[in-house]
Short mmCIF file of all heavy atoms in Angstrom, two decimals:
data_model
loop_
_atom_site.label_atom_id
_atom_site.label_comp_id
_atom_site.label_asym_id
_atom_site.label_seq_id
_atom_site.Cartn_x
_atom_site.Cartn_y
_atom_site.Cartn_z
N MET A 7 9.83 -3.92 -0.29
CA MET A 7 8.46 -4.12 -0.65
C MET A 7 8.24 -3.42 -1.99
O MET A 7 8.43 -2.23 -2.10
CB MET A 7 7.58 -3.52 0.44
CG MET A 7 6.13 -3.66 0.20
SD MET A 7 5.07 -2.91 1.49
CE MET A 7 5.88 -3.30 2.99
N THR A 8 7.85 -4.17 -2.99
CA THR A 8 7.66 -3.61 -4.32
C THR A 8 6.32 -4.05 -4.89
O THR A 8 5.97 -5.21 -4.80
CB THR A 8 8.79 -4.08 -5.26
OG1 THR A 8 10.04 -3.72 -4.70
CG2 THR A 8 8.65 -3.48 -6.63
N VAL A 9 5.61 -3.10 -5.45
CA VAL A 9 4.36 -3.39 -6.14
C VAL A 9 4.51 -2.85 -7.54
O VAL A 9 4.83 -1.69 -7.73
CB VAL A 9 3.14 -2.72 -5.47
CG1 VAL A 9 1.89 -2.95 -6.27
CG2 VAL A 9 2.98 -3.23 -4.06
N ARG A 10 4.30 -3.70 -8.50
CA ARG A 10 4.38 -3.26 -9.89
C ARG A 10 3.10 -3.66 -10.59
O ARG A 10 2.62 -4.77 -10.45
CB ARG A 10 5.56 -3.91 -10.60
CG ARG A 10 6.87 -3.44 -10.03
CD ARG A 10 8.01 -3.99 -10.82
NE ARG A 10 9.24 -3.55 -10.18
CZ ARG A 10 10.39 -4.12 -10.36
NH1 ARG A 10 10.49 -5.16 -11.14
NH2 ARG A 10 11.46 -3.66 -9.75
N ALA A 11 2.58 -2.75 -11.36
CA ALA A 11 1.37 -3.01 -12.12
C ALA A 11 1.71 -2.99 -13.60
O ALA A 11 2.53 -2.19 -14.03
CB ALA A 11 0.31 -1.96 -11.82
N ASN A 12 1.11 -3.88 -14.34
CA ASN A 12 1.23 -3.83 -15.79
C ASN A 12 0.22 -2.83 -16.30
O ASN A 12 -0.76 -3.16 -16.92
CB ASN A 12 0.97 -5.22 -16.40
CG ASN A 12 2.05 -6.20 -16.04
OD1 ASN A 12 3.21 -5.82 -15.91
ND2 ASN A 12 1.68 -7.45 -15.86
N ALA A 13 0.47 -1.58 -15.97
CA ALA A 13 -0.46 -0.51 -16.30
C ALA A 13 0.29 0.61 -16.99
O ALA A 13 1.39 0.96 -16.62
CB ALA A 13 -1.13 0.02 -15.04
N SER A 14 -0.34 1.14 -17.99
CA SER A 14 0.27 2.26 -18.71
C SER A 14 -0.36 3.56 -18.25
O SER A 14 -0.96 4.28 -19.02
CB SER A 14 0.09 2.06 -20.21
OG SER A 14 -1.29 1.95 -20.52
N GLY A 15 -0.23 3.84 -16.94
CA GLY A 15 -0.78 5.07 -16.41
C GLY A 15 -2.26 4.99 -16.07
O GLY A 15 -2.85 5.96 -15.65
N ASN A 16 -2.87 3.82 -16.21
CA ASN A 16 -4.28 3.65 -15.90
C ASN A 16 -4.45 3.50 -14.40
O ASN A 16 -4.03 2.51 -13.80
CB ASN A 16 -4.81 2.41 -16.63
CG ASN A 16 -6.29 2.21 -16.42
OD1 ASN A 16 -6.80 2.33 -15.31
ND2 ASN A 16 -6.99 1.88 -17.48
N VAL A 17 -5.06 4.49 -13.77
CA VAL A 17 -5.20 4.52 -12.32
C VAL A 17 -5.99 3.32 -11.81
O VAL A 17 -5.67 2.76 -10.77
CB VAL A 17 -5.86 5.85 -11.85
CG1 VAL A 17 -6.10 5.84 -10.36
CG2 VAL A 17 -4.98 7.02 -12.23
N ASP A 18 -7.01 2.90 -12.54
CA ASP A 18 -7.81 1.75 -12.11
C ASP A 18 -6.96 0.48 -12.04
O ASP A 18 -7.09 -0.31 -11.10
CB ASP A 18 -9.00 1.53 -13.04
CG ASP A 18 -10.05 2.62 -12.91
OD1 ASP A 18 -10.18 3.19 -11.80
OD2 ASP A 18 -10.71 2.91 -13.91
N GLN A 19 -6.08 0.27 -13.01
CA GLN A 19 -5.21 -0.90 -13.00
C GLN A 19 -4.20 -0.83 -11.86
O GLN A 19 -3.94 -1.83 -11.20
CB GLN A 19 -4.48 -1.04 -14.33
CG GLN A 19 -5.38 -1.45 -15.46
CD GLN A 19 -4.64 -1.50 -16.80
OE1 GLN A 19 -3.59 -0.88 -16.96
NE2 GLN A 19 -5.19 -2.25 -17.74
N VAL A 20 -3.66 0.34 -11.62
CA VAL A 20 -2.70 0.51 -10.54
C VAL A 20 -3.39 0.29 -9.20
O VAL A 20 -2.88 -0.40 -8.32
CB VAL A 20 -2.02 1.90 -10.60
CG1 VAL A 20 -1.13 2.11 -9.39
CG2 VAL A 20 -1.23 2.05 -11.89
N ARG A 21 -4.58 0.86 -9.03
CA ARG A 21 -5.35 0.68 -7.80
C ARG A 21 -5.60 -0.80 -7.55
O ARG A 21 -5.42 -1.31 -6.44
CB ARG A 21 -6.68 1.42 -7.87
CG ARG A 21 -7.52 1.28 -6.60
CD ARG A 21 -8.90 1.92 -6.71
NE ARG A 21 -8.83 3.33 -7.03
CZ ARG A 21 -9.24 3.86 -8.20
NH1 ARG A 21 -9.74 3.08 -9.14
NH2 ARG A 21 -9.15 5.15 -8.41
N ARG A 22 -6.00 -1.52 -8.60
CA ARG A 22 -6.30 -2.96 -8.47
C ARG A 22 -5.04 -3.73 -8.09
O ARG A 22 -5.09 -4.65 -7.26
CB ARG A 22 -6.89 -3.49 -9.78
CG ARG A 22 -7.43 -4.88 -9.63
CD ARG A 22 -8.66 -4.83 -8.72
NE ARG A 22 -9.19 -6.15 -8.56
CZ ARG A 22 -9.59 -6.64 -7.41
NH1 ARG A 22 -9.53 -5.92 -6.33
NH2 ARG A 22 -10.07 -7.83 -7.33
N ALA A 23 -3.90 -3.37 -8.67
CA ALA A 23 -2.64 -4.04 -8.34
C ALA A 23 -2.30 -3.84 -6.87
O ALA A 23 -1.84 -4.78 -6.20
CB ALA A 23 -1.52 -3.52 -9.23
N ILE A 24 -2.53 -2.64 -6.36
CA ILE A 24 -2.27 -2.35 -4.95
C ILE A 24 -3.23 -3.15 -4.07
O ILE A 24 -2.84 -3.73 -3.06
CB ILE A 24 -2.36 -0.84 -4.66
CG1 ILE A 24 -1.20 -0.12 -5.36
CG2 ILE A 24 -2.36 -0.56 -3.16
CD1 ILE A 24 -1.30 1.38 -5.34
N GLN A 25 -4.51 -3.19 -4.45
CA GLN A 25 -5.49 -3.96 -3.70
C GLN A 25 -5.08 -5.42 -3.63
O GLN A 25 -5.12 -6.04 -2.55
CB GLN A 25 -6.87 -3.87 -4.36
CG GLN A 25 -7.57 -2.56 -4.15
CD GLN A 25 -8.92 -2.56 -4.85
OE1 GLN A 25 -9.05 -1.99 -5.91
NE2 GLN A 25 -9.90 -3.22 -4.26
N ASP A 26 -4.68 -5.98 -4.76
CA ASP A 26 -4.30 -7.39 -4.81
C ASP A 26 -3.03 -7.66 -4.00
O ASP A 26 -2.94 -8.66 -3.30
CB ASP A 26 -4.10 -7.83 -6.26
CG ASP A 26 -5.39 -7.85 -7.06
OD1 ASP A 26 -6.48 -7.82 -6.45
OD2 ASP A 26 -5.30 -7.89 -8.30
N ALA A 27 -2.07 -6.76 -4.10
CA ALA A 27 -0.79 -6.96 -3.42
C ALA A 27 -0.93 -6.93 -1.90
O ALA A 27 -0.26 -7.67 -1.19
CB ALA A 27 0.21 -5.91 -3.88
N PHE A 28 -1.81 -6.06 -1.40
CA PHE A 28 -1.92 -5.86 0.04
C PHE A 28 -3.22 -6.40 0.63
O PHE A 28 -3.40 -6.33 1.84
CB PHE A 28 -1.78 -4.38 0.39
CG PHE A 28 -0.41 -3.83 0.06
CD1 PHE A 28 -0.23 -3.05 -1.06
CD2 PHE A 28 0.68 -4.12 0.87
CE1 PHE A 28 1.02 -2.55 -1.37
CE2 PHE A 28 1.93 -3.63 0.56
CZ PHE A 28 2.10 -2.84 -0.56
N GLY A 29 -4.13 -6.86 -0.21
CA GLY A 29 -5.40 -7.37 0.29
C GLY A 29 -6.23 -6.28 0.95
O GLY A 29 -6.79 -6.50 2.02
N ILE A 30 -6.29 -5.10 0.31
CA ILE A 30 -6.99 -3.96 0.90
C ILE A 30 -8.13 -3.53 -0.02
O ILE A 30 -8.22 -3.94 -1.17
CB ILE A 30 -6.03 -2.78 1.15
CG1 ILE A 30 -5.34 -2.32 -0.15
CG2 ILE A 30 -4.99 -3.16 2.21
CD1 ILE A 30 -4.42 -1.12 0.01
N THR A 31 -8.98 -2.67 0.51
CA THR A 31 -10.13 -2.16 -0.25
C THR A 31 -9.69 -1.10 -1.26
O THR A 31 -8.57 -0.58 -1.19
CB THR A 31 -11.16 -1.52 0.69
OG1 THR A 31 -10.57 -0.35 1.27
CG2 THR A 31 -11.62 -2.49 1.77
N ALA A 32 -10.59 -0.76 -2.15
CA ALA A 32 -10.31 0.30 -3.13
C ALA A 32 -10.06 1.63 -2.42
O ALA A 32 -9.19 2.40 -2.83
CB ALA A 32 -11.48 0.43 -4.12
N LEU A 33 -10.80 1.89 -1.35
CA LEU A 33 -10.62 3.13 -0.59
C LEU A 33 -9.21 3.18 0.01
O LEU A 33 -8.53 4.20 -0.06
CB LEU A 33 -11.67 3.24 0.51
CG LEU A 33 -11.63 4.50 1.37
CD1 LEU A 33 -11.89 5.74 0.51
CD2 LEU A 33 -12.66 4.41 2.48
N ALA A 34 -8.77 2.08 0.58
CA ALA A 34 -7.42 2.04 1.16
C ALA A 34 -6.36 2.16 0.06
O ALA A 34 -5.34 2.82 0.25
CB ALA A 34 -7.22 0.74 1.94
N ALA A 35 -6.60 1.55 -1.09
CA ALA A 35 -5.66 1.66 -2.21
C ALA A 35 -5.58 3.10 -2.69
O ALA A 35 -4.48 3.58 -3.03
CB ALA A 35 -6.08 0.73 -3.35
N ASP A 36 -6.70 3.81 -2.70
CA ASP A 36 -6.67 5.23 -3.07
C ASP A 36 -5.82 6.03 -2.08
O ASP A 36 -5.11 6.95 -2.48
CB ASP A 36 -8.09 5.81 -3.12
CG ASP A 36 -8.84 5.40 -4.38
OD1 ASP A 36 -8.18 5.07 -5.38
OD2 ASP A 36 -10.08 5.41 -4.34
N ALA A 37 -5.90 5.67 -0.80
CA ALA A 37 -5.08 6.35 0.21
C ALA A 37 -3.60 6.10 -0.06
O ALA A 37 -2.77 7.01 0.04
CB ALA A 37 -5.45 5.88 1.60
N VAL A 38 -3.25 4.87 -0.43
CA VAL A 38 -1.87 4.55 -0.78
C VAL A 38 -1.43 5.38 -1.98
O VAL A 38 -0.33 5.95 -2.00
CB VAL A 38 -1.70 3.05 -1.06
CG1 VAL A 38 -0.33 2.75 -1.65
CG2 VAL A 38 -1.91 2.24 0.21
N LEU A 39 -2.28 5.47 -2.99
CA LEU A 39 -1.95 6.22 -4.20
C LEU A 39 -1.75 7.70 -3.91
O LEU A 39 -0.98 8.37 -4.62
CB LEU A 39 -3.03 6.04 -5.26
CG LEU A 39 -3.05 4.67 -5.94
CD1 LEU A 39 -4.30 4.53 -6.79
CD2 LEU A 39 -1.80 4.47 -6.77
N SER A 40 -2.39 8.21 -2.88
CA SER A 40 -2.27 9.64 -2.58
C SER A 40 -1.04 9.96 -1.73
O SER A 40 -0.73 11.12 -1.52
CB SER A 40 -3.53 10.15 -1.88
OG SER A 40 -3.62 9.62 -0.59
N MET A 41 -0.35 8.92 -1.24
CA MET A 41 0.84 9.14 -0.42
C MET A 41 1.97 9.73 -1.25
O MET A 41 2.07 9.48 -2.45
CB MET A 41 1.33 7.82 0.19
CG MET A 41 0.44 7.25 1.21
SD MET A 41 1.15 5.69 1.78
CE MET A 41 0.06 5.32 3.11
N GLN A 42 2.82 10.47 -0.59
CA GLN A 42 4.01 11.01 -1.24
C GLN A 42 5.13 9.98 -1.10
O GLN A 42 5.77 9.87 -0.06
CB GLN A 42 4.40 12.34 -0.61
CG GLN A 42 3.37 13.42 -0.86
CD GLN A 42 3.81 14.75 -0.28
OE1 GLN A 42 4.97 14.96 0.00
NE2 GLN A 42 2.86 15.65 -0.13
N VAL A 43 5.36 9.25 -2.15
CA VAL A 43 6.29 8.12 -2.12
C VAL A 43 7.70 8.54 -1.75
O VAL A 43 8.43 7.79 -1.14
CB VAL A 43 6.26 7.37 -3.48
CG1 VAL A 43 7.25 6.22 -3.50
CG2 VAL A 43 4.86 6.86 -3.77
N ARG A 44 8.07 9.75 -2.05
CA ARG A 44 9.43 10.18 -1.72
C ARG A 44 9.69 10.16 -0.23
O ARG A 44 10.83 10.17 0.22
CB ARG A 44 9.72 11.56 -2.29
CG ARG A 44 8.96 12.69 -1.62
CD ARG A 44 9.37 14.04 -2.22
NE ARG A 44 8.63 15.12 -1.61
CZ ARG A 44 7.49 15.60 -2.06
NH1 ARG A 44 6.96 15.10 -3.15
NH2 ARG A 44 6.89 16.60 -1.45
N ARG A 45 8.64 10.10 0.56
CA ARG A 45 8.79 10.05 2.01
C ARG A 45 9.05 8.63 2.52
O ARG A 45 9.22 8.42 3.70
CB ARG A 45 7.56 10.62 2.69
CG ARG A 45 7.40 12.10 2.46
CD ARG A 45 6.26 12.65 3.25
NE ARG A 45 6.14 14.08 2.99
CZ ARG A 45 5.21 14.84 3.51
NH1 ARG A 45 4.31 14.32 4.32
NH2 ARG A 45 5.16 16.13 3.22
N PHE A 46 9.06 7.66 1.63
CA PHE A 46 9.28 6.27 2.03
C PHE A 46 10.77 6.00 2.19
O PHE A 46 11.39 5.28 1.43
CB PHE A 46 8.68 5.31 1.02
CG PHE A 46 7.17 5.30 0.99
CD1 PHE A 46 6.50 4.54 0.06
CD2 PHE A 46 6.42 6.04 1.87
CE1 PHE A 46 5.12 4.51 0.01
CE2 PHE A 46 5.03 6.03 1.85
CZ PHE A 46 4.39 5.26 0.91
N THR A 47 11.34 6.58 3.21
CA THR A 47 12.75 6.37 3.53
C THR A 47 12.90 4.95 4.09
O THR A 47 11.91 4.31 4.47
CB THR A 47 13.21 7.38 4.59
OG1 THR A 47 12.47 7.14 5.79
CG2 THR A 47 13.03 8.82 4.12
N PRO A 48 14.12 4.44 4.18
CA PRO A 48 14.30 3.10 4.78
C PRO A 48 13.71 2.98 6.17
O PRO A 48 13.09 1.96 6.50
CB PRO A 48 15.83 2.94 4.80
CG PRO A 48 16.29 3.77 3.63
CD PRO A 48 15.36 4.96 3.63
N VAL A 49 13.84 4.00 6.98
CA VAL A 49 13.27 3.96 8.33
C VAL A 49 11.75 3.91 8.27
O VAL A 49 11.10 3.14 8.99
CB VAL A 49 13.74 5.19 9.16
CG1 VAL A 49 12.99 5.28 10.47
CG2 VAL A 49 15.24 5.13 9.38
N GLU A 50 11.16 4.71 7.39
CA GLU A 50 9.69 4.72 7.24
C GLU A 50 9.20 3.39 6.70
O GLU A 50 8.17 2.86 7.13
CB GLU A 50 9.25 5.87 6.35
CG GLU A 50 7.76 6.04 6.23
CD GLU A 50 7.06 6.41 7.53
OE1 GLU A 50 7.71 6.80 8.50
OE2 GLU A 50 5.82 6.30 7.56
N ARG A 51 9.90 2.81 5.74
CA ARG A 51 9.51 1.51 5.20
C ARG A 51 9.55 0.44 6.29
O ARG A 51 8.66 -0.40 6.38
CB ARG A 51 10.40 1.11 4.02
CG ARG A 51 10.09 1.89 2.76
CD ARG A 51 10.71 1.25 1.53
NE ARG A 51 12.11 0.91 1.66
CZ ARG A 51 13.13 1.66 1.27
NH1 ARG A 51 12.89 2.82 0.70
NH2 ARG A 51 14.36 1.25 1.42
N LYS A 52 10.59 0.49 7.14
CA LYS A 52 10.69 -0.48 8.24
C LYS A 52 9.53 -0.30 9.21
O LYS A 52 8.95 -1.28 9.68
CB LYS A 52 12.02 -0.32 8.96
CG LYS A 52 12.24 -1.36 10.01
CD LYS A 52 13.62 -1.27 10.62
CE LYS A 52 13.79 -2.37 11.65
NZ LYS A 52 15.11 -2.43 12.20
N ARG A 53 9.17 0.96 9.52
CA ARG A 53 8.05 1.22 10.41
C ARG A 53 6.75 0.67 9.82
O ARG A 53 5.95 0.02 10.51
CB ARG A 53 7.90 2.72 10.67
CG ARG A 53 6.80 3.03 11.70
CD ARG A 53 6.40 4.50 11.71
NE ARG A 53 5.80 4.92 10.47
CZ ARG A 53 4.53 4.66 10.08
NH1 ARG A 53 3.75 3.92 10.84
NH2 ARG A 53 4.06 5.11 8.94
N MET A 54 6.54 0.90 8.52
CA MET A 54 5.32 0.41 7.86
C MET A 54 5.29 -1.11 7.83
O MET A 54 4.23 -1.72 8.02
CB MET A 54 5.20 0.99 6.45
CG MET A 54 4.83 2.46 6.44
SD MET A 54 4.47 3.10 4.79
CE MET A 54 6.08 3.06 4.04
N GLN A 55 6.45 -1.73 7.58
CA GLN A 55 6.51 -3.19 7.55
C GLN A 55 6.18 -3.75 8.93
O GLN A 55 5.45 -4.74 9.05
CB GLN A 55 7.89 -3.67 7.10
CG GLN A 55 7.97 -5.18 6.94
CD GLN A 55 7.02 -5.72 5.89
OE1 GLN A 55 6.97 -5.20 4.78
NE2 GLN A 55 6.28 -6.74 6.22
N SER A 56 6.69 -3.12 9.99
CA SER A 56 6.39 -3.55 11.35
C SER A 56 4.90 -3.42 11.65
O SER A 56 4.29 -4.30 12.25
CB SER A 56 7.19 -2.74 12.36
OG SER A 56 8.56 -2.99 12.21
N GLU A 57 4.32 -2.31 11.21
CA GLU A 57 2.88 -2.09 11.41
C GLU A 57 2.07 -3.13 10.65
O GLU A 57 1.10 -3.68 11.18
CB GLU A 57 2.50 -0.68 10.97
CG GLU A 57 1.06 -0.33 11.25
CD GLU A 57 0.73 1.10 10.90
OE1 GLU A 57 1.63 1.96 10.88
OE2 GLU A 57 -0.46 1.36 10.64
N LEU A 58 2.46 -3.43 9.42
CA LEU A 58 1.76 -4.43 8.63
C LEU A 58 1.86 -5.80 9.28
O LEU A 58 0.88 -6.54 9.36
CB LEU A 58 2.32 -4.47 7.20
CG LEU A 58 1.71 -5.50 6.26
CD1 LEU A 58 0.22 -5.23 6.07
CD2 LEU A 58 2.42 -5.47 4.92
N THR A 59 3.04 -6.14 9.79
CA THR A 59 3.23 -7.42 10.47
C THR A 59 2.32 -7.51 11.69
O THR A 59 1.68 -8.55 11.93
CB THR A 59 4.70 -7.59 10.88
OG1 THR A 59 5.51 -7.56 9.70
CG2 THR A 59 4.93 -8.89 11.62
N ALA A 60 2.24 -6.43 12.46
CA ALA A 60 1.37 -6.41 13.65
C ALA A 60 -0.10 -6.55 13.25
O ALA A 60 -0.85 -7.28 13.90
CB ALA A 60 1.59 -5.13 14.44
N LEU A 61 -0.50 -5.87 12.19
CA LEU A 61 -1.89 -5.97 11.74
C LEU A 61 -2.22 -7.38 11.26
O LEU A 61 -3.29 -7.91 11.55
CB LEU A 61 -2.16 -4.95 10.62
CG LEU A 61 -2.20 -3.49 11.06
CD1 LEU A 61 -2.23 -2.58 9.83
CD2 LEU A 61 -3.40 -3.24 11.95
N ASN A 62 -1.29 -7.98 10.52
CA ASN A 62 -1.50 -9.36 10.06
C ASN A 62 -1.59 -10.32 11.23
O ASN A 62 -2.39 -11.26 11.20
CB ASN A 62 -0.39 -9.78 9.09
CG ASN A 62 -0.55 -9.14 7.73
OD1 ASN A 62 -1.65 -8.76 7.32
ND2 ASN A 62 0.55 -8.98 7.02
N ALA A 63 -0.78 -10.11 12.27
CA ALA A 63 -0.81 -10.97 13.44
C ALA A 63 -2.13 -10.82 14.21
O ALA A 63 -2.59 -11.77 14.83
CB ALA A 63 0.37 -10.63 14.36
N ALA A 64 -2.73 -9.64 14.14
CA ALA A 64 -3.99 -9.40 14.85
C ALA A 64 -5.16 -10.12 14.19
O ALA A 64 -6.21 -10.29 14.81
CB ALA A 64 -4.26 -7.90 14.92
N GLY A 65 -5.01 -10.52 12.95
CA GLY A 65 -6.07 -11.22 12.26
C GLY A 65 -6.93 -10.29 11.43
O GLY A 65 -6.70 -9.08 11.40
N PRO A 66 -7.93 -10.85 10.76
CA PRO A 66 -8.78 -10.05 9.87
C PRO A 66 -9.63 -9.04 10.63
O PRO A 66 -10.03 -9.27 11.77
CB PRO A 66 -9.65 -11.09 9.17
CG PRO A 66 -9.63 -12.28 10.06
CD PRO A 66 -8.32 -12.24 10.80
N CYS A 67 -9.91 -7.96 9.95
CA CYS A 67 -10.77 -6.91 10.50
C CYS A 67 -12.21 -7.41 10.46
O CYS A 67 -12.64 -8.03 9.50
CB CYS A 67 -10.63 -5.64 9.66
SG CYS A 67 -11.63 -4.29 10.25
N THR A 68 -12.97 -7.15 11.51
CA THR A 68 -14.35 -7.63 11.58
C THR A 68 -15.37 -6.53 11.32
O THR A 68 -16.54 -6.70 11.59
CB THR A 68 -14.62 -8.26 12.96
OG1 THR A 68 -14.37 -7.28 13.97
CG2 THR A 68 -13.78 -9.49 13.18
N GLU A 69 -14.92 -5.40 10.83
CA GLU A 69 -15.86 -4.29 10.58
C GLU A 69 -16.59 -4.48 9.31
O GLU A 69 -16.21 -4.98 8.35
CB GLU A 69 -15.09 -2.97 10.53
CG GLU A 69 -14.56 -2.60 11.88
CD GLU A 69 -13.83 -1.26 11.84
OE1 GLU A 69 -14.07 -0.45 10.92
OE2 GLU A 69 -13.03 -1.02 12.74
#
């Protein structure tokens, strides 16, 4: 899973790229940006992918 932004360090552009890539809100994108990426080991990436698949299968959030 790779997200790349055509951004030169501009947090707003990176946030928007994350929002577009994952279909999430600005608040959720900020949470992604605050994560420690070094913790994204192959096992953790697989867990996150499984969670994303389950969330997508559940359908859109109605909140």
Side-chain angles (χ1 to χ4, degrees):
M7 180 181 320
T8 303
V9 175
R10 294 185 183 160
N12 292 326
S14 57
N16 183 316
V17 176
D18 290 330
Q19 289 176 339
V20 174
R21 180 185 302 112
R22 190 68 180 136
I24 292 171
Q25 285 180 258
D26 292 344
F28 295 103
I30 58 177
T31 66
L33 182 62
D36 283 337
V38 170
L39 287 170
S40 70
M41 291 179 173
Q42 294 183 18
V43 178
R44 70 177 179 268
R45 293 186 180 178
F46 291 175
T47 63
V49 171
E50 185 65 14
R51 286 195 311 264
K52 185 174 181 175
R53 185 195 64 77
M54 287 188 291
Q55 185 62 49
S56 295
E57 185 176 335
L58 179 61
T59 300
L61 289 170
N62 285 335
C67 180
T68 58
E69 291 182 21

